[in-house]
Amino acid sequence: MTADGKGAGPEENTVADNEESVAPAVDSETTPAGQPDQGQQEQEQKQGQEQEQDREQERVPSPARPSLVRRLLRNRTVRATVAGVLAGGLLGAGAVAWRTDTLPLLGPAPCWDSLSDATVSALFGDRRTEVEEQTLQTDPRGPGLSYGQCRITSYKDDRASRQLTVRVHKLDGLHGSDGRQWPEEFLAAGMVALGEGLPGMASSSRAWLALPQSCTGRPGQFEGPVVVDVGMGPAGLDVSSEYESEDRAALAHAAVDTANGVIRDLGCSGAYRSADLPKDVVAWRGTQPDAFCGIKGLALPAAYRESLSRARVSGDGGPARICEAAGSYPRAAVRMTTVVDPALAEVFSQDLLKGGSTFKGTNGFGSFNVSRAVYRARCQSGDVIFMLEQKDRFGEQDFTLVRDLLPAYVEAESSRIGCGQENVTLPRG
């Protein structure tokens, strides 16, 4: 895909050659020692049960193809002739909201005319929905990172039930919170790759997809790609595998639909193909001490094996591979993230440059403190990030895992991804 007047470079994302918007149907296939208190567990279980009940009530057959009138009105040229008929109130600068139950035919599709009827039905069933949408444009008074946001809320009677938040923004690797908060939510072990040619990932609560650089331009230094990210409910909420597969598919299709709508809105050509997700969901399993997190040759020191007896690993083949490890209660106490997409690697610039004591390796450098280490290596395919984080104290061990495991992790993981023999030495502390 190329943007109007711009050529695609070798490092740019690939998209399908056709220029039609994608409207895919949802896939039919469907703890560490510091335990949380009993009240917290009961509250989380109750929240998960309520959400599962909501999903059960929202199950409906896939809707029929939109009527000819609605399909015509989604066309930009035709919509321009009936703009005076479309209802909607201004909520703020560039923000428009409408109620889909009030205007079943005359309104454009939600979120920049992108979300298909099948995707909306998979997310909300047949409940009444309200949409708030901002015009896509960078902030002229800011650094130009945010393009806009869209929010869809469904209602059960008069009570808000579910809410989808869609953002279009450039990831900031040096300022703000993207270096910590965004990876915490959107680079988690419960996520899987969207499929070949789709630089993004999805879980049952979060999904994201990077827009082609041929459309948005090459990121600057310490900047990540422009992404469409979608979120529904608390990040990382554990639900049953049946619901997890359905919700993951719905959010993945929402990310692809929205990305294609944004591409059109920005005046670029081309479209991403539909997401191709694995059938299985990411599950917690017993750890292999001699191949920790599924990395051959990475041995977990004996002092940590009881506290890190379970782990889950995101699907391979995506822009990042994430492993989370825990004890008997499946809440991540350790996270290891390997980012092989050079543009996405820039998200960790703040930790890399300001994260603590510095150290060097065979083909790179990094920084570390007692709970987190980030190392960037120069590989044949571009820069790769290795991030190791101890998120909680466990067992009788203090925050010692980063120092004990990082050198072995970098060495074994660099070999696994074909990055050559990478060795690091941490300074004595």
Side-chain angles (χ1 to χ4, degrees), residues 102-124:
T102 305
L103 296 174
L105 291 177
L106 297 182
C111 301
W112 311 290
D113 199 17
S114 63
L115 294 183
S116 68
D117 287 348
T119 298
V120 174
S121 294
L123 291 166
F124 301 107

Side-chain angles (χ1 to χ4, degrees), residues 88-98 131-137 149:
L90 291 178
L91 299 182
V96 178
W98 63 90
V131 183
E132 301 166 77
E133 179 181 311
Q134 291 178 323
T135 301
L136 285 177
Q137 59 183 8
Q149 180 172 303

Side-chain angles (χ1 to χ4, degrees), residues 173-325:
L174 196 58
H175 307 285
S177 60
D178 283 348
R180 288 294 182 98
Q181 187 61 37
W182 195 86
E184 181 73 19
E185 294 190 29
F186 293 94
L187 293 180
M191 309 193 80
V192 297
L194 296 181
E196 185 178 358
L198 298 175
M201 306 181 76
S203 70
S204 59
S205 61
R206 297 291 186 272
W208 66 273
L209 179 58
L211 296 177
Q213 292 180 18
S214 57
C215 182
T216 60
R218 193 178 301 277
Q221 189 178 23
F222 309 129
E223 291 180 348
V226 177
V227 298
V228 170
D229 61 43
V230 298
M232 178 177 282
L237 179 65
D238 289 332
V239 297
S240 67
S241 59
E242 178 185 8
Y243 291 132
E244 184 174 356
S245 179
E246 292 180 357
D247 288 351
R248 186 182 67 181
L251 288 179
H253 291 313
V256 175
D257 275 4
T258 306
N260 287 333
V262 173
I263 290 171
R264 292 192 304 269
D265 196 280
L266 295 179
C268 303
S269 61
Y272 280 122
R273 60 178 57 86
S274 179
D276 182 17
L277 301 175
K279 297 178 182 179
D280 298 330
V281 298
V282 180
W284 288 92
R285 305 183 187 281
T287 57
Q288 298 175 273
D290 296 330
F292 186 55
C293 286
I295 303 174
K296 184 179 179 180
L298 178 58
L300 181 66
Y304 303 104
R305 293 181 182 179
E306 182 178 353
S307 299
L308 300 177
S309 59
R310 306 181 69 190
R312 61 175 182 172
V313 182
S314 66
D316 290 323
R321 182 183 190 268
I322 306 100
C323 172
E324 294 172 345

Side-chain angles (χ1 to χ4, degrees), residues 384-398:
V384 174
I385 285 290
F386 303 89
M387 190 277 285
L388 172 61
E389 180 181 22
Q390 181 177 344
K391 301 171 68 66
D392 197 2
R393 180 182 285 106
F394 42 83
E396 297 180 357
Q397 301 295 325
D398 205 341

